[in-house]
Amino acid sequence: MEKGTLRLKTGLAQMLKGGVIMDVTTPEQAVIAQEAGACAVMALERVPADIRRAGGVARMADPVIVKRIMEAVTIPVMAKVRIGHITEARILEHLGVDYIDESEVLTPADDKYHLNKHDFRVPFVCGARNLGEALRRIAEGAAMIRTKGEPGTGNVVEAVRHIRMVTGQLRHLLSLPEEEVPGYAKELGAPLELLNIVRENGGLPVVNFAAGGISTPADAALMMQLGCDGIFVGSGIFKSADPAAFAKAIVAATTNYNDPAVLAEVSEGLGDAMPGLEISSIAPEQRMQERGW
Amino acid sequence: MVEPLHIGVLALQGAFREHRLMLERCGAEVTEIRRPFDTSAFGGLERFDGIVLPGGESTTMGRLLTDWHLLEPLRECGRRGMPLFGTCAGLILLCREVEGPDGRLLTQPGLGLLDARVRRNAFGRQIDSFETEFPVRGVAENCRAVFIRAPVIVSCGTDVDVLARVDGPEGPLPVAVRQGNVLGAAFHPELTQDERFHAFFLDMCRKWKDNRPAMGI
């Protein structure tokens, strides 16, 4: 019997596909998310919009919050650690969370290195803005990738940019003649071995979700249209006027992303989405997507 | 030439693509099911020679099955003898009773076609997920089995044929079962390269198609 294998780690992400993972800060919110059809929840102390507003250093959530949320729901529970924070990751692994997000939403703990995720039995998801970043995270052991987007803004433009970048670079890689692959590996800053795996596989060897700025059912469906395997919604649910209704509508839109009749129906009468932020209004050093490398 | 089998794969959430690819490799034609195709009792699902319920989150799928009015059509197809194959969350959806890891009975929407009580997350959380190899009677002597937050059958009726067991916290318990036209596995053959489990299911579908009764339509 083997545990903690790559197949088990990537396998759980495969089971989450076509689903919505929702940020929650209390057991009550976790239950609302589960009732609405979330396939997993992300246990947090604050949603990204509040982290952005609060400023200062954002860290792993208090274990008591994570534990209470784990007790409240039957779906998988994820939680975030700071980039490179080995100890926070060990704590969450000990608590038994089902997935760890090594996340740029929190303040990085290491300015040079991400975690060696091979070293853990618990699987990790990491953000990526482009193929090089995605493959570097996979090389470190990430079993799931997501776009970074710009968290807490309710503005989907950055997530769109990131998924278009990744899929565009994938198309390019798949079309290259053999002799040009090593040069492209150098350009991307990613291991040649992984580029070859992508070419054999016809795509990334792990699931790729959308995250960062998704706030309406139409946003979720858009990201699925653009080739994402599933959706993370951070502030979009519990910063909206009617969280239960938004949650349910975003789940329906993710399943039926190709069906405009369903999308029109579920978008109707939802009330106000979370307030949005124009990206240019955020100073470059305040942009979470710039964290990590 | 034999007409290819037409299999429906429930595609509300989860690993439906993996099932699709494996069934296609076995020569079947596959259509994804997201909502009923019409408003009849069978919801248009009678067009299929068999239906696969994939792994994913059973809470999520149960909710979406209810919201999209697929529960009754699926149940009707199963009752009329159409082969159904559920893996992991799909197995949970097939069972008559579902309990939590603590043994408490849960009320979650399901098909109730398999006379068995299933325990969710029976081996623990993701950190306790595991891979192993064992014989599955009638399928293979050495099946690679991937258990991800997997359920287990804690009790079942005499009509349920146990094809494989695995050692759990309370001794060996069934993880692959068949009751007539209903086939279930607590693990994920669709995550391996081994097509034998799917071939076994397609064999059930072929036999049913060849002797298929009129479904009253």
Side-chain angles (χ1 to χ4, degrees):
Chain A
M1 187 183 290
E2 303 127 64
K3 293 187 174 185
T5 65
L6 193 57
R7 175 151 58 188
L8 293 166
K9 292 173 171 178
T10 55
L12 177 56
Q14 284 169 282
M15 297 308 139
L16 301 176
K17 281 194 303 183
V20 182
I21 301 165
M22 301 180 190
D23 278 6
V24 297
T25 57
T26 64
E28 293 73 29
Q29 289 185 353
V31 170
I32 291 173
Q34 175 169 280
E35 289 294 307
C39 66
V41 290
M42 177 77 71
L44 283 166
E45 206 153 313
R46 295 192 190 117
V47 296
D50 290 335
I51 291 175
R52 188 175 285 288
R53 192 162 316 122
V57 174
R59 311 178 180 92
M60 173 187 81
D62 185 328
V64 79
I65 294 179
V66 179
K67 275 160 69 180
R68 283 197 192 131
I69 288 170
M70 284 167 61
E71 282 161 18
V73 291
T74 55
I75 54 179
V77 175
M78 302 184 167
K80 289 184 194 290
V81 297
R82 285 180 267 177
I83 290 171
H85 205 308
I86 303 166
T87 309
E88 285 187 350
R90 286 290 176 211
I91 291 171
L92 289 184
E93 183 178 50
H94 173 78
L95 294 180
V97 301
D98 297 295
Y99 239 93
I100 295 179
D101 186 1
E102 187 184 19
S103 177
E104 67 282 0
V105 168
L106 306 182
T107 312
D110 191 319
D111 69 344
K112 283 203 171 56
Y113 303 106
H114 284 250
L115 292 166
N116 173 14
K117 294 164 276 285
H118 291 294
D119 232 21
F120 291 77
R121 233 164 76 186
V122 62
F124 282 83
V125 53
C126 288
R129 289 164 298 178
N130 53 56
L131 184 57
E133 215 173 349
L135 294 178
R136 286 194 291 281
R137 296 297 84 79
I138 294 168
E140 294 154 2
M144 179 180 187
I145 293 293
R146 55 171 176 75
T147 61
K148 285 182 165 175
E150 191 53 43
T153 60
N155 189 341
V156 78
V157 64
E158 295 302 297
V160 167
R161 201 151 63 82
H162 298 162
I163 189 65
R164 280 205 184 271
M165 178 64 89
V166 169
T167 49
Q169 289 175 317
L170 278 172
R171 275 196 303 274
H172 179 65
L173 172 58
L174 295 177
S175 71
L176 287 180
E178 202 64 39
E179 66 274 19
E180 292 182 22
V181 180
Y184 195 48
K186 186 181 173 202
E187 190 185 318
L188 290 178
L192 174 60
E193 186 198 351
L194 269 180
L195 270 71
N196 285 327
I197 289 174
V198 168
R199 280 161 64 88
E200 265 166 46
N201 195 41
L204 285 176
V206 303
V207 162
N208 189 10
F209 268 49
I214 292 121
S215 57
T216 66
D219 286 350
L222 168 66
M223 295 307 293
M224 295 297 287
Q225 286 277 358
L226 292 175
C228 289
D229 293 309
I231 306 290
F232 281 91
V233 188
S235 322
I237 307 277
F238 290 99
K239 287 286 165 191
S240 71
D242 186 346
F246 261 84
K248 208 169 168 184
I250 289 176
V251 170
T254 302
T255 303
N256 297 286
Y257 67 92
N258 243 338
D259 191 332
V262 173
L263 297 174
E265 189 189 320
V266 302
S267 300
E268 212 171 287
L270 281 179
D272 287 337
M274 69 177 284
L277 268 180
E278 177 53 49
I279 304 299
S280 59
S281 71
I282 309 166
E285 66 275 13
Q286 298 294 323
R287 292 180 196 164
M288 291 172 175
Q289 60 176 287
E290 304 297 334
R291 297 166 168 176
W293 35 91
Chain B
M1 209 187 102
V2 248
E3 205 188 325
L5 291 163
H6 188 195
I7 307 297
V9 175
L10 188 67
L12 294 174
Q13 190 268 319
F16 50 86
R17 187 166 170 270
E18 288 74 0
H19 275 290
R20 181 190 186 124
L21 292 175
M22 197 155 251
L23 291 162
E24 285 173 348
R25 275 214 301 277
C26 294
E29 211 173 274
V30 177
T31 301
E32 293 178 357
I33 305 169
R34 288 190 167 78
R35 42 199 314 212
F37 298 94
D38 60 43
T39 54
S40 73
F42 299 110
L45 303 182
E46 70 279 7
R47 72 189 63 187
F48 298 118
D49 302 315
I51 292 177
V52 171
L53 312 173
E57 279 309 311
S58 68
T59 321
T60 309
M61 280 198 262
R63 191 148 302 282
L64 293 172
L65 279 173
T66 311
D67 287 356
W68 298 104
H69 311 291
L70 277 165
L71 220 42
E72 276 308 318
L74 278 171
R75 197 177 283 137
E76 274 311 304
C77 287
R79 278 194 190 134
R80 303 292 179 107
M82 181 187 285
L84 303 180
F85 177 25
T87 60
C88 197
L91 167 69
I92 296 172
L93 292 173
L94 288 170
C95 287
R96 190 173 41 78
E97 280 183 352
V98 184
E99 62 177 43
D102 54 1
R104 248 183 328 139
L105 190 68
L106 299 175
T107 47
Q108 62 180 67
L111 298 170
L113 293 166
L114 189 68
D115 183 18
R117 179 166 172 133
V118 67
R119 178 180 299 164
R120 294 187 52 182
N121 303 343
F123 302 93
R125 305 190 69 97
Q126 171 63 13
I127 205 125
D128 305 300
S129 292
F130 63 98
E131 291 188 35
T132 187
E133 213 169 88
F134 50 56
V136 180
R137 194 158 49 78
V139 177
E141 277 312 299
N142 55 339
C143 229
R144 166 87 355 203
V146 182
F147 289 83
I148 298 177
R149 287 171 46 96
V152 83
I153 304 277
V154 284
S155 63
C156 56
T158 47
D159 287 352
V160 179
D161 199 7
V162 176
L163 308 180
R165 292 175 192 269
V166 79
D167 272 329
E170 291 158 35
L173 286 171
V175 289
V177 290
R178 178 180 176 180
Q179 182 182 2
N181 59 316
V182 179
L183 181 69
F187 50 94
H188 296 282
E190 77 279 11
L191 292 186
T192 68
Q193 298 301 313
D194 190 342
E195 290 155 10
R196 289 175 294 183
F197 219 111
H198 287 77
F200 181 82
F201 174 64
L202 290 175
D203 199 44
M204 286 168 59
C205 299
R206 174 67 65 191
K207 285 184 183 131
W208 187 67
K209 181 186 168 77
D210 289 347
N211 304 290
R212 186 169 174 161
M215 286 181 84
I217 293 176

